[in-house]
Amino acid sequence: MMGSMSDSRTEELRRALDATWERIGSACAAQERDPSSITLVVVTKTWPTDDAVRLVDLGVHDLGENRDQEASAKATAVRQARPSGDVRWHFIGQLQTNKAVSVASYADLVHTVDRGSLVAALDKGARKAGRRLDCLVEVNLDVGEIPAGRGGVRPEEAPAIADAIAAAEGLRLRGVMGVAPLGGDAEAAFARLADVREHLRRDHPDADLMSAGMSEDLEYAVAAGATHLRVGSAILGTRGPLG
Ligand SMILES: *Cc1c(COP(=O)(O)O)cnc(C)c1O
Protein backbone atom coordinates (compact mmCIF):
# COMPACT_ATOMS: atom_id res chain seq x y z
CA MET A 1 0.00 0.00 0.00
CA MET A 2 2.88 2.29 0.62
CA GLY A 3 2.04 4.92 -1.99
CA SER A 4 -0.33 7.72 -1.14
CA MET A 5 -3.49 6.27 0.33
CA SER A 6 -6.92 7.59 0.12
CA ASP A 7 -9.21 4.64 0.42
CA SER A 8 -12.39 4.03 2.41
CA ARG A 9 -10.43 3.10 5.56
CA THR A 10 -8.59 6.42 5.34
CA GLU A 11 -11.94 8.22 5.15
CA GLU A 12 -13.24 6.23 8.13
CA LEU A 13 -10.15 7.21 10.15
CA ARG A 14 -10.48 10.83 9.05
CA ARG A 15 -14.09 10.99 10.28
CA ALA A 16 -13.22 9.32 13.59
CA LEU A 17 -10.27 11.68 14.13
CA ASP A 18 -12.47 14.69 13.40
CA ALA A 19 -15.12 13.40 15.82
CA THR A 20 -12.49 12.86 18.53
CA TRP A 21 -11.10 16.38 18.09
CA GLU A 22 -14.66 17.66 18.30
CA ARG A 23 -15.04 15.92 21.67
CA ILE A 24 -11.71 17.38 22.78
CA GLY A 25 -12.77 20.82 21.56
CA SER A 26 -16.02 20.72 23.53
CA ALA A 27 -14.27 19.48 26.65
CA CYS A 28 -11.68 22.25 26.31
CA ALA A 29 -14.34 24.91 25.73
CA ALA A 30 -16.12 23.85 28.93
CA GLN A 31 -12.86 24.39 30.87
CA GLU A 32 -11.67 27.43 28.93
CA ARG A 33 -8.67 25.42 27.82
CA ASP A 34 -6.90 25.84 24.48
CA PRO A 35 -7.14 22.57 22.46
CA SER A 36 -3.59 23.20 21.27
CA SER A 37 -2.50 22.42 24.84
CA ILE A 38 -3.60 18.81 24.23
CA THR A 39 -1.58 16.11 22.49
CA LEU A 40 -3.76 13.36 21.06
CA VAL A 41 -1.83 10.08 21.11
CA VAL A 42 -3.54 7.68 18.72
CA VAL A 43 -3.12 4.14 20.07
CA THR A 44 -2.49 1.81 17.14
CA LYS A 45 -1.85 -1.41 19.12
CA THR A 46 -3.16 -4.52 17.32
CA TRP A 47 -3.87 -2.51 14.15
CA PRO A 48 -1.71 -2.95 11.03
CA THR A 49 1.12 -0.68 9.99
CA ASP A 50 -1.04 0.49 7.07
CA ASP A 51 -3.41 2.12 9.54
CA ALA A 52 -0.51 3.89 11.25
CA VAL A 53 0.63 5.18 7.85
CA ARG A 54 -2.91 6.33 7.04
CA LEU A 55 -2.94 8.26 10.31
CA VAL A 56 0.40 9.88 9.49
CA ASP A 57 -1.02 10.88 6.11
CA LEU A 58 -3.95 12.45 7.97
CA GLY A 59 -1.54 14.62 9.95
CA VAL A 60 -1.16 12.56 13.13
CA HIS A 61 2.27 12.94 14.75
CA ASP A 62 1.83 10.95 17.97
CA LEU A 63 1.28 7.20 17.94
CA GLY A 64 1.00 4.90 20.98
CA GLU A 65 1.86 1.22 21.39
CA ASN A 66 1.92 -1.12 24.39
CA ARG A 67 4.15 -4.04 23.35
CA ASP A 68 7.81 -3.70 22.44
CA GLN A 69 7.88 -6.21 19.60
CA GLU A 70 4.88 -4.72 17.83
CA ALA A 71 5.95 -1.15 18.53
CA SER A 72 9.50 -1.63 17.30
CA ALA A 73 8.41 -3.32 14.05
CA LYS A 74 5.75 -0.67 13.42
CA ALA A 75 8.09 2.23 14.14
CA THR A 76 10.58 0.85 11.61
CA ALA A 77 7.92 0.18 8.97
CA VAL A 78 6.29 3.60 9.35
CA ARG A 79 9.66 5.32 9.12
CA GLN A 80 10.39 3.44 5.89
CA ALA A 81 6.97 4.25 4.42
CA ARG A 82 6.95 7.90 5.47
CA PRO A 83 10.53 9.05 6.09
CA SER A 84 9.42 12.65 6.53
CA GLY A 85 6.41 11.73 8.71
CA ASP A 86 7.74 13.32 11.91
CA VAL A 87 6.20 10.67 14.17
CA ARG A 88 6.69 10.49 17.92
CA TRP A 89 6.24 7.03 19.45
CA HIS A 90 4.64 6.75 22.86
CA PHE A 91 5.22 3.58 24.88
CA ILE A 92 2.11 3.10 27.04
CA GLY A 93 2.26 -0.56 28.12
CA GLN A 94 3.70 -2.35 31.09
CA LEU A 95 7.35 -2.68 30.37
CA GLN A 96 9.60 -5.62 31.26
CA THR A 97 13.11 -4.62 32.23
CA ASN A 98 14.61 -6.84 29.51
CA LYS A 99 12.71 -4.88 26.84
CA ALA A 100 13.83 -1.48 28.10
CA VAL A 101 16.97 -1.22 25.94
CA SER A 102 14.89 -1.84 22.82
CA VAL A 103 12.15 0.61 23.83
CA ALA A 104 14.76 3.28 24.63
CA SER A 105 16.01 3.05 21.04
CA TYR A 106 12.79 4.18 19.34
CA ALA A 107 10.34 5.58 21.92
CA ASP A 108 10.04 9.35 22.33
CA LEU A 109 8.02 9.27 25.56
CA VAL A 110 7.69 6.30 27.91
CA HIS A 111 4.46 6.75 29.89
CA THR A 112 4.80 3.76 32.19
CA VAL A 113 7.84 4.05 34.44
CA ASP A 114 6.91 2.53 37.78
CA ARG A 115 9.97 0.99 39.44
CA GLY A 116 13.63 1.60 40.10
CA SER A 117 14.86 -1.39 38.10
CA LEU A 118 13.07 -0.02 35.05
CA VAL A 119 14.57 3.43 35.56
CA ALA A 120 18.03 1.86 35.56
CA ALA A 121 17.34 -0.26 32.46
CA LEU A 122 15.85 2.62 30.47
CA ASP A 123 18.73 4.87 31.47
CA LYS A 124 21.22 2.28 30.27
CA GLY A 125 19.33 1.86 26.99
CA ALA A 126 19.02 5.58 26.36
CA ARG A 127 22.71 6.21 27.02
CA LYS A 128 23.65 3.30 24.77
CA ALA A 129 21.52 4.83 22.02
CA GLY A 130 23.01 8.27 22.66
CA ARG A 131 19.60 9.67 23.51
CA ARG A 132 17.91 11.50 26.34
CA LEU A 133 14.58 9.72 26.85
CA ASP A 134 11.49 11.50 28.17
CA CYS A 135 9.65 9.57 30.89
CA LEU A 136 6.43 9.78 32.90
CA VAL A 137 5.86 8.19 36.30
CA GLU A 138 2.89 5.84 36.05
CA VAL A 139 0.66 6.34 39.06
CA ASN A 140 -1.79 3.60 39.97
CA LEU A 141 -5.24 5.11 40.50
CA ASP A 142 -7.07 1.98 41.66
CA VAL A 143 -8.89 2.26 44.95
CA GLY A 144 -8.06 -0.35 47.61
CA GLU A 145 -6.10 -3.39 46.54
CA ILE A 146 -4.37 -3.10 43.15
CA PRO A 147 -5.89 -5.72 40.80
CA ALA A 148 -3.38 -8.19 39.27
CA GLY A 149 -1.79 -7.00 36.06
CA ARG A 150 -2.21 -3.27 36.73
CA GLY A 151 0.89 -1.12 36.60
CA GLY A 152 1.87 2.03 38.39
CA VAL A 153 3.11 3.11 41.78
CA ARG A 154 0.93 4.28 44.62
CA PRO A 155 0.70 8.09 44.70
CA GLU A 156 2.86 8.25 47.83
CA GLU A 157 5.63 6.29 46.05
CA ALA A 158 5.67 8.61 43.01
CA PRO A 159 8.23 11.14 44.37
CA ALA A 160 10.90 8.42 44.82
CA ILE A 161 10.50 7.20 41.22
CA ALA A 162 10.44 10.80 39.99
CA ASP A 163 13.69 11.55 41.82
CA ALA A 164 15.31 8.43 40.34
CA ILE A 165 14.30 9.43 36.78
CA ALA A 166 15.48 12.99 37.33
CA ALA A 167 18.84 11.74 38.61
CA ALA A 168 19.41 9.44 35.60
CA GLU A 169 21.72 10.93 32.99
CA GLY A 170 19.94 9.32 30.03
CA LEU A 171 16.39 10.19 31.13
CA ARG A 172 14.31 13.30 31.53
CA LEU A 173 11.37 13.48 33.94
CA ARG A 174 8.38 15.00 32.17
CA GLY A 175 5.35 14.27 34.37
CA VAL A 176 2.79 11.62 35.31
CA MET A 177 0.50 9.08 33.69
CA GLY A 178 -2.55 7.24 34.95
CA VAL A 179 -5.34 4.88 33.92
CA ALA A 180 -8.81 5.27 35.46
CA PRO A 181 -9.87 2.40 37.76
CA LEU A 182 -11.86 -0.38 36.07
CA GLY A 183 -15.50 0.57 36.47
CA GLY A 184 -14.42 3.26 38.91
CA ASP A 185 -14.72 7.01 39.19
CA ALA A 186 -12.51 8.50 36.45
CA GLU A 187 -13.21 12.07 37.54
CA ALA A 188 -11.93 11.47 41.07
CA ALA A 189 -9.02 9.37 39.82
CA PHE A 190 -7.77 12.02 37.41
CA ALA A 191 -8.07 14.68 40.12
CA ARG A 192 -5.78 12.52 42.30
CA LEU A 193 -3.34 12.24 39.39
CA ALA A 194 -3.34 16.03 38.96
CA ASP A 195 -2.52 16.35 42.68
CA VAL A 196 0.46 14.02 42.26
CA ARG A 197 1.70 16.16 39.37
CA GLU A 198 1.39 19.34 41.44
CA HIS A 199 3.29 17.68 44.28
CA LEU A 200 6.11 16.52 41.98
CA ARG A 201 6.41 19.94 40.38
CA ARG A 202 7.57 21.45 43.64
CA ASP A 203 10.86 19.58 43.22
CA HIS A 204 10.70 19.14 39.44
CA PRO A 205 9.12 22.23 37.85
CA ASP A 206 9.50 20.84 34.32
CA ALA A 207 7.48 17.72 35.09
CA ASP A 208 4.32 19.33 33.76
CA LEU A 209 2.87 16.61 31.51
CA MET A 210 -0.13 14.52 32.49
CA SER A 211 -1.15 11.53 30.40
CA ALA A 212 -4.70 10.46 31.22
CA GLY A 213 -7.91 9.66 29.44
CA MET A 214 -8.82 7.05 26.85
CA SER A 215 -11.74 6.66 24.43
CA GLU A 216 -14.32 6.38 27.21
CA ASP A 217 -13.19 9.05 29.62
CA LEU A 218 -11.20 11.68 27.76
CA GLU A 219 -13.55 14.48 28.84
CA TYR A 220 -12.72 13.85 32.51
CA ALA A 221 -9.02 13.90 31.67
CA VAL A 222 -9.31 17.25 29.88
CA ALA A 223 -11.23 18.63 32.85
CA ALA A 224 -8.50 17.48 35.26
CA GLY A 225 -5.76 19.15 33.22
CA ALA A 226 -4.37 16.31 31.10
CA THR A 227 -1.88 17.27 28.41
CA HIS A 228 -1.83 13.86 26.69
CA LEU A 229 -4.87 11.72 25.81
CA ARG A 230 -4.38 8.11 24.69
CA VAL A 231 -7.18 7.17 22.34
CA GLY A 232 -7.46 3.88 20.45
CA SER A 233 -10.86 2.33 19.84
CA ALA A 234 -12.76 5.60 19.32
CA ILE A 235 -10.54 6.20 16.28
CA LEU A 236 -9.50 2.78 14.98
CA GLY A 237 -12.48 0.68 16.06
CA THR A 238 -12.98 -2.14 18.53
CA ARG A 239 -9.90 -4.29 19.03
CA GLY A 240 -9.86 -8.09 18.94
CA PRO A 241 -9.63 -10.28 22.08
CA LEU A 242 -5.86 -9.79 22.46
CA GLY A 243 -6.03 -6.01 22.43
C1 LIG B 1 -5.08 0.48 24.87
C2 LIG B 1 -4.76 1.60 25.76
C3 LIG B 1 -5.35 2.86 25.57
C4 LIG B 1 -6.40 3.15 24.52
O1 LIG B 1 -7.63 2.63 24.97
P1 LIG B 1 -8.99 2.88 24.15
O2 LIG B 1 -10.05 2.53 25.13
O3 LIG B 1 -8.94 1.94 22.98
O4 LIG B 1 -9.04 4.28 23.74
C5 LIG B 1 -4.97 3.89 26.43
N1 LIG B 1 -4.05 3.69 27.40
C6 LIG B 1 -3.47 2.50 27.62
C7 LIG B 1 -2.49 2.36 28.73
C8 LIG B 1 -3.80 1.41 26.81
O5 LIG B 1 -3.23 0.23 27.03
Side-chain angles (χ1 to χ4, degrees):
M1 122 253 48
M2 296 300 175
S4 165
M5 281 187 300
S6 100
D7 52 9
S8 62
R9 175 63 166 161
T10 306
E11 285 314 306
E12 187 174 289
L13 293 173
R14 185 199 306 277
R15 280 193 298 274
L17 263 177
D18 287 350
T20 301
W21 274 112
E22 239 168 73
R23 284 175 66 191
I24 296 168
S26 304
C28 282
Q31 305 292 328
E32 298 185 9
R33 288 192 60 185
D34 180 349
S36 72
S37 67
I38 304 271
T39 299
L40 172 62
V41 178
V42 182
V43 179
T44 47
K45 66 188 184 195
T46 78
W47 296 98
T49 297
D50 283 6
D51 278 347
V53 174
R54 287 181 175 95
L55 289 162
V56 172
D57 288 349
L58 291 169
V60 171
H61 294 289
D62 293 273
L63 296 174
E65 286 285 334
N66 71 336
R67 291 193 178 92
D68 170 53
Q69 214 178 355
E70 182 179 352
S72 138
K74 228 176 264 182
T76 302
V78 169
R79 199 181 316 110
Q80 278 166 1
R82 295 294 181 267
S84 59
D86 188 21
V87 179
R88 289 179 291 273
W89 289 94
H90 296 255
F91 195 86
I92 63 166
Q94 282 184 47
L95 181 49
Q96 290 169 270
T97 306
N98 63 358
K99 302 287 170 65
V101 170
S102 170
V103 168
S105 72
Y106 61 82
D108 295 288
L109 181 62
V110 178
H111 292 227
T112 44
V113 183
D114 63 359
R115 56 198 194 281
S117 58
L118 187 53
V119 173
L122 285 168
D123 179 40
K124 188 174 152 204
R127 283 188 286 122
K128 191 174 155 200
R131 311 179 71 207
R132 191 103 190 264
L133 180 62
D134 286 348
C135 295
L136 305 179
V137 178
E138 181 178 356
V139 180
N140 186 284
L141 302 173
D142 290 307
V143 179
E145 217 169 289
I146 299 181
R150 305 273 284 180
V153 293
R154 292 289 189 189
E156 59 274 20
E157 298 162 345
I161 297 294
D163 291 347
I165 295 170
E169 210 181 302
L171 308 181
R172 194 185 290 125
L173 176 70
R174 296 304 313 277
V176 296
M177 176 272 202
V179 177
L182 291 167
D185 183 344
E187 193 174 8
F190 295 155
R192 288 201 299 284
L193 185 61
D195 284 346
V196 175
R197 175 176 59 175
E198 285 325 298
H199 184 82
L200 294 188
R201 287 191 69 192
R202 281 179 226 154
D203 285 340
H204 307 284
D206 296 337
D208 57 353
L209 303 186
M210 174 169 146
S211 165
M214 321 197 329
S215 294
E216 297 266 297
D217 54 22
L218 68 85
E219 284 84 0
Y220 292 124
V222 170
T227 59
H228 286 61
L229 310 175
R230 310 176 308 267
V231 178
S233 52
I235 294 169
L236 288 132
T238 307
R239 285 180 299 275
L242 297 176

